[in-house]
Amino acid sequence: MKIAIPVDEKDMGTNVCVSFGRTPYFLIYDTESKESVFLDNSAVASSGGAGIKAAQIIVDSNIEALLTPRCGQNAANVLKAANIKMYKTTTLSVKDSIDAFIAETLSLLDDIHEGFHGQVGN
Amino acid sequence: MKIAVLSGKGGTGKTLVSVNLAAVAQKSTYIDCDVEEPNGHLFFKPIDVQEEEVSVKIPQVDNERCNGCRKCVDFCKFNALAYIKDKLIIFEEICHSCGGCIMLCPEKALTEKEKGIGKMQRGISDEVTVYTGILDTGEASGISIIKKLLVNNKSKGDEQTFIDCPPGSACIVMESIKDADYCVLVAEPTLFGVHNLNMVYELVKLFNKPFGVVLNKCVDGENPAEKFCLEKNIKILKRLPFDNELGMLNSNAEIAARKTKKYYAIFSSLLETVKREVQYETTTNS
């Protein structure tokens, strides 16, 4: 199963990014082959609708589950329409997050926030 | 003659200045472009109010016709469209109504539909025609309402128009001052006030508009906003005092210039100064 995680850097030792829409990279991890690929998030510099564009990238990458600390409403709408499950990460460690997902200890992300539309920072 | 009143933040005194200027100008037009929180009408209490809905055009998709080429998705700079599971999704609140996606669609799958975003009111208060723009709660941009408010006033030649701008210096303010002949910047006598003044100062310079500053809430002692004006060689049009009576009248939604001779005189002299400045600008620029 292919899963995606927003990450700060292109390195397995990096942290989970606090933002989904404006994360610099996505780690695409295949739980069967244990392969990992880093994907540039072209939505990061969008003036608006970054969450929608980032979600589109996830959908286009045939991801089955997204592991993220949080997610905005618009992005969630796109992901839901594509039947992509969202799980809430509880640690900054990418490796621990993947392990937790495999061990099925991550809960589904249900506290979708309104989005930070146009606000600076994350 | 169109005079826009702006400031870097809310509560500085834009409405105080523009409402009183319009009141002393007698036959004039006041346009409240602060569509997210219009309050000029509270002072004017206009009568014979006519209302008009304002809507924007947004795309709607015929999924039968859409073949998923994604030209629209790739084109939209605001990411208002996504293509998921053989279906186009449109995020109406993200759309800026540019119409580009509709023009680009090779399958003619996108068409326009109207979406109401707010309204425009027009009323009369003594000799002042009062226009108010009201953006519906939750809508992203009031630009279309401001455009409509200002277009309605193109025909009136020599009558004075006062544009009460939204706070800040974002695109909504740019839209409000675009056609103004002169800009009045209102500033508070604090360091924070200087920061806010600098924002609108940069903006009017960028737009190449003639402008001057009204120093509001002036007290004895140092005035950082005044210092800023002197350093940058900016014309100070008026110093309004930090004054209990004025504050009280204003808090009670009274137009000070209509209430007392003292304030009538103060705002009349400000209007005269502004008029002189505009004339001066016209002669030096022609």
Side-chain angles (χ1 to χ4, degrees):
Chain A
M1 183 200 264
K2 268 167 88 178
I3 60 171
I5 310 175
V7 292
D8 287 335
E9 275 158 60
K10 285 183 172 180
D11 179 284
M12 282 308 273
T14 184
N15 285 339
V16 177
C17 181
V18 289
S19 168
F20 165 72
R22 294 196 187 271
T23 181
Y25 311 104
F26 285 109
L27 164 64
I28 312 294
Y29 184 79
D30 191 319
T31 53
E32 276 123 52
S33 68
K34 311 223 177 321
E35 255 179 286
S36 52
V37 181
F38 290 92
L39 207 63
D40 284 354
N41 177 22
S42 55
V44 66
S46 301
S47 56
I52 297 168
K53 192 170 181 183
Q56 176 85 65
I57 294 166
I58 296 299
V59 173
D60 294 344
S61 309
N62 294 316
I63 305 295
E64 282 174 75
L66 170 73
L67 279 50
T68 182
R70 49 185 175 180
C71 183
Q73 189 64 60
N74 289 331
N77 288 351
V78 172
L79 296 166
K80 267 182 205 152
N83 289 325
I84 294 172
K85 285 212 166 66
M86 283 170 275
Y87 293 90
K88 188 173 175 66
T89 58
T90 50
T91 158
L92 276 180
S93 161
V94 171
K95 201 181 161 297
D96 291 352
S97 297
I98 294 172
D99 289 345
F101 173 75
I102 293 168
E104 294 182 11
T105 58
L106 283 189
S107 52
L108 286 169
L109 177 72
D110 47 18
D111 52 338
I112 304 298
H113 67 82
E114 287 281 320
F116 300 117
H117 313 135
Q119 293 173 32
V120 181
N122 44 40
Chain B
M1 186 173 81
K2 288 198 176 80
I3 296 152
V5 183
L6 56 163
S7 74
K9 79 163 185 70
T12 308
K14 287 179 298 298
T15 301
L16 169 82
V17 169
S18 42
V19 159
N20 280 285
L21 281 177
V24 295
Q26 310 285 340
K27 202 165 165 46
S28 63
T29 303
Y30 166 85
I31 307 175
D32 199 343
C33 286
D34 189 4
V35 297
E36 287 175 26
E37 207 76 53
N39 59 351
H41 64 103
L42 301 173
F43 294 87
F44 281 115
K45 304 167 186 72
I47 50 164
D48 295 334
V49 177
Q50 290 165 0
E51 221 172 78
E52 202 182 311
E53 297 289 321
V54 182
S55 60
V56 292
K57 289 187 167 60
I58 53 161
Q60 60 180 352
V61 63
D62 177 354
N63 271 306
E64 298 282 298
R65 294 192 123 178
C66 175
N67 66 359
C69 75
R70 295 194 184 203
K71 281 207 166 84
C72 55
V73 176
D74 296 336
F75 169 78
C76 184
K77 282 283 169 290
F78 301 101
N79 304 314
L81 306 117
Y83 191 76
I84 308 295
K85 291 223 163 188
D86 305 329
K87 247 181 99 180
L88 188 69
I89 306 179
I90 298 165
F91 289 85
E92 297 188 353
E93 72 277 19
I94 309 268
C95 174
H96 282 53
S97 303
C98 76
C101 55
I102 296 165
M103 285 168 71
L104 274 174
C105 180
E107 303 301 316
K108 307 242 177 301
L110 289 166
T111 46
E112 279 179 348
K113 75 167 183 190
E114 298 267 338
K115 177 189 167 217
I117 58 157
K119 59 192 174 190
M120 187 179 85
Q121 287 177 342
R122 177 180 179 272
I124 301 285
S125 170
D126 286 355
E127 286 186 276
V128 183
T129 311
V130 179
Y131 284 89
T132 307
I134 305 164
L135 182 70
D136 286 346
T137 308
E139 288 301 334
S141 169
I143 297 281
S144 311
I145 299 182
I146 291 174
K147 275 197 172 131
K148 195 150 191 170
L149 284 166
L150 296 174
V151 157
N152 271 313
N153 286 283
K154 279 229 163 98
S155 50
K156 290 178 187 165
D158 53 350
E159 202 176 288
Q160 277 147 20
T161 299
F162 299 91
I163 303 164
D164 194 352
C165 294
S169 58
C171 48
I172 190 162
V173 181
M174 301 185 199
E175 194 64 45
S176 307
I177 67 164
K178 218 160 61 182
D179 296 322
D181 300 304
Y182 192 82
C183 291
V184 174
L185 317 185
V186 186
E188 283 177 349
T190 60
L191 276 179
F192 186 47
V194 172
H195 168 80
N196 298 314
L197 174 60
N198 192 37
M199 279 166 49
V200 278
Y201 166 68
E202 295 283 341
L203 182 70
V204 291
K205 272 203 312 187
L206 194 67
F207 273 66
N208 218 356
K209 296 279 176 194
F211 67 98
V213 171
V214 169
L215 297 169
N216 193 18
K217 309 179 192 176
C218 292
V219 284
D220 290 339
E222 208 170 300
N223 185 336
E226 180 168 18
K227 210 172 133 211
F228 177 87
C229 292
L230 296 173
E231 275 168 16
K232 305 265 178 194
N233 210 7
I234 299 167
K235 172 89 186 173
I236 296 170
L237 303 164
K238 194 91 196 160
R239 291 170 182 82
L240 294 174
F242 186 84
D243 169 349
N244 265 339
E245 195 188 352
L246 182 58
M248 194 57 85
L249 283 170
N250 204 51
S251 307
N252 291 331
E254 301 282 5
I255 299 173
R258 283 187 183 168
K259 279 280 156 188
T260 72
K261 280 196 176 130
K262 180 176 139 195
Y263 296 117
Y264 183 86
I266 289 177
F267 286 102
S268 296
S269 96
L270 172 59
L271 181 62
E272 288 312 311
T273 312
V274 170
K275 277 194 205 162
R276 254 202 324 273
E277 285 294 306
V278 177
Q279 263 157 16
Y280 174 72
E281 288 292 337
T282 337
T283 30
T284 46
N285 287 333
S286 57

